Amino acid sequence: MSVITIERKVLEKNDEIASKNRELFKKNKVFTANLVSSPGSGKTSVVEKTLEHFKGKLKISVIEGDVQTNLDAQRVSKYGVPVVQIVTNGSCHLEAKLVQDALQNLKLEDADVLFIENVGNLVCPAAYDLGEDMKVVIASTTEGDDKPLKYPRMFINASVLLINKIDLIPYINCNIEELRKNALQINPKLEIFEVSCTTGDGIDKWCGWLESKIQKK
Amino acid sequence: MSVITIERKVLEKNDEIASKNRELFKKNKVFTANLVSSPGSGKTSVVEKTLEHFKGKLKISVIEGDVQTNLDAQRVSKYGVPVVQIVTNGSCHLEAKLVQDALQNLKLEDADVLFIENVGNLVCPAAYDLGEDMKVVIASTTEGDDKPLKYPRMFINASVLLINKIDLIPYINCNIEELRKNALQINPKLEIFEVSCTTGDGIDKWCGWLESKIQKK
């Protein structure tokens, strides 16, 4: 029995549970976004800014995924929304089963939107369907403009790219047009938004687009 | 047969080959550093600055690891040093076998130092010994000060932490003392250097320390 076979079985099992999660989200009319990026690209900050934007308008729940600590859940809980922290204890990505377990602690019937913030890792989470409606990949300008070429699978599997930290452009060596070009070369269907969670720039545009997606569900 | 068992066997096999790599490095008196970080923290920039510093003084070879592209090898080859690119084709970390294969293309007897730049990933490469003398973890200030707590294994397994992009401190929300404190809480033996590959700040200090380590080998 080869390792490849084992990995395939793990992924098959994951896809089965992801389908059950997806049915549950559909039944409860919850739009679900799986947020993926490198560590420190700003996934939690994007969640915070999006929560601020939709305050009083949409009911949002959050699942936080981290290798260790519940620091992100602590940050998000300040916004008064239901949040569950998954600690993977060493594992480099979220799996559908972990999300299924986390859902036991959320009332999906009371939610319009569910954000699942994955472990900070631009490689492994690309392979695991969690049952989400879309993957949102976040790339910060400080990481440089070549990341879509170097880590293509994540950009292929995502529906939308948020280019975060655009406020730092004057101080760094990142060509934003090159970043866009590289991302679209890997996935021509990517929707791209430029945002800054520090200044708030671009957040309204991203949230407007997200709202149109939610209404379609 | 469980997946855990398979993973253990993979790691055992990796450790065997890593030991062979280590013997080879010892025989040829090559000091070897395994550079690990999130994507875009500045591993390649640290290699470039260190190559500039030691130009004409030390003979340095480089192995570059990426999921896709040979962009990093192209950058490093401009410094006129021997460089081999490993493309992992989807895999999220380097393994000892990949390094063993890459060594076929380098003349170790002509090198004082070997830099192995791992795949950008703050989780998985922590588990794989490549036969190196030390792991160098790079954390950029733009990633925030909480990363050692969230991704502890990498910081536990590293000998030195380079805090990169200190030139951006005035523009971002990162408490460098908090970052140091968090890193030392996870690994009290960590040597820590603050550097900027943009301004060159701190590079002399890092290189001085590295040189003292190399001489001891």
Side-chain angles (χ1 to χ4, degrees), chain B residues 53-178:
Chain B
H53 179 95
F54 287 120
K55 195 175 178 178
K57 276 204 234 170
L58 286 175
K59 287 175 284 181
I60 302 178
S61 291
V62 181
I63 293 176
E64 288 291 339
D66 275 295
V67 175
Q68 285 298 342
T69 80
N70 64 1
L71 293 169
D72 288 348
Q74 288 180 41
R75 279 173 63 181
V76 167
S77 69
K78 290 178 186 159
Y79 292 79
V81 299
V83 55
V84 178
Q85 176 81 48
I86 299 172
V87 173
T88 67
N89 243 323
S91 179
C92 51
H93 59 273
L94 291 183
E95 295 183 16
K97 180 73 176 80
L98 290 170
V99 172
Q100 189 182 47
D101 291 348
L103 291 175
Q104 306 287 326
N105 301 292
L106 290 173
K107 290 181 183 168
L108 279 188
E109 63 275 21
D110 290 346
D112 303 311
V113 182
L114 172 66
F115 286 124
I116 304 173
E117 184 182 332
N118 220 308
V119 172
N121 182 334
L122 208 49
V123 189
C124 314
Y128 290 82
D129 181 16
L130 306 178
E132 71 271 5
D133 289 289
M134 64 175 186
K135 281 192 174 69
V136 179
V137 61
I138 300 166
S140 67
T141 55
T142 53
E143 294 162 48
D145 43 43
D146 59 359
K147 294 304 165 287
L149 305 179
K150 285 178 165 179
Y151 304 87
R153 193 168 178 184
M154 193 63 94
F155 292 82
I156 289 169
N157 290 358
S159 305
V160 55
L161 162 63
L162 300 187
I163 301 176
N164 191 24
K165 308 190 189 180
I166 55 166
D167 55 299
L168 296 178
I169 285 283
Y171 315 112
I172 58 174
N173 184 19
C174 172
N175 182 333
I176 214 156
E177 288 313 313
E178 189 71 18

Side-chain angles (χ1 to χ4, degrees), chain A residues 1-3 6 10 38-41 43-44 66-69 71-72 75 90-92 117-124 140 142-144 146-147 149-153 165 167-168 171-172 198, chain B residues 1-3 6 10 38-41 43-44 66-69 71-72 75 90-92 117-124 140 142-144 146-147 149-153 165 167-168 171-172 198:
Chain A
M1 194 186 286
S2 75
V3 177
I6 296 282
V10 169
S38 306
S41 300
K43 292 182 294 305
T44 315
D66 274 294
V67 175
Q68 286 298 342
T69 81
L71 293 170
D72 288 349
R75 280 173 63 180
S91 179
C92 53
E117 184 182 331
N118 220 309
V119 172
N121 183 334
L122 209 48
V123 189
C124 314
S140 66
T142 53
E143 294 162 49
D146 58 359
K147 295 303 165 287
L149 303 179
K150 284 179 166 179
Y151 304 86
R153 193 167 178 186
K165 309 190 188 180
D167 54 299
L168 296 177
Y171 314 113
I172 58 174
T198 302
Chain B
M1 194 186 286
S2 74
V3 176
I6 296 281
V10 168
S38 306
S41 301
K43 292 182 294 305
T44 315
D66 275 295
V67 175
Q68 285 298 342
T69 80
L71 293 169
D72 288 348
R75 279 173 63 181
S91 179
C92 51
E117 184 182 332
N118 220 308
V119 172
N121 182 334
L122 208 49
V123 189
C124 314
S140 67
T142 53
E143 294 162 48
D146 59 359
K147 294 304 165 287
L149 305 179
K150 285 178 165 179
Y151 304 87
R153 193 168 178 184
K165 308 190 189 180
D167 55 299
L168 296 178
Y171 315 112
I172 58 174
T198 303

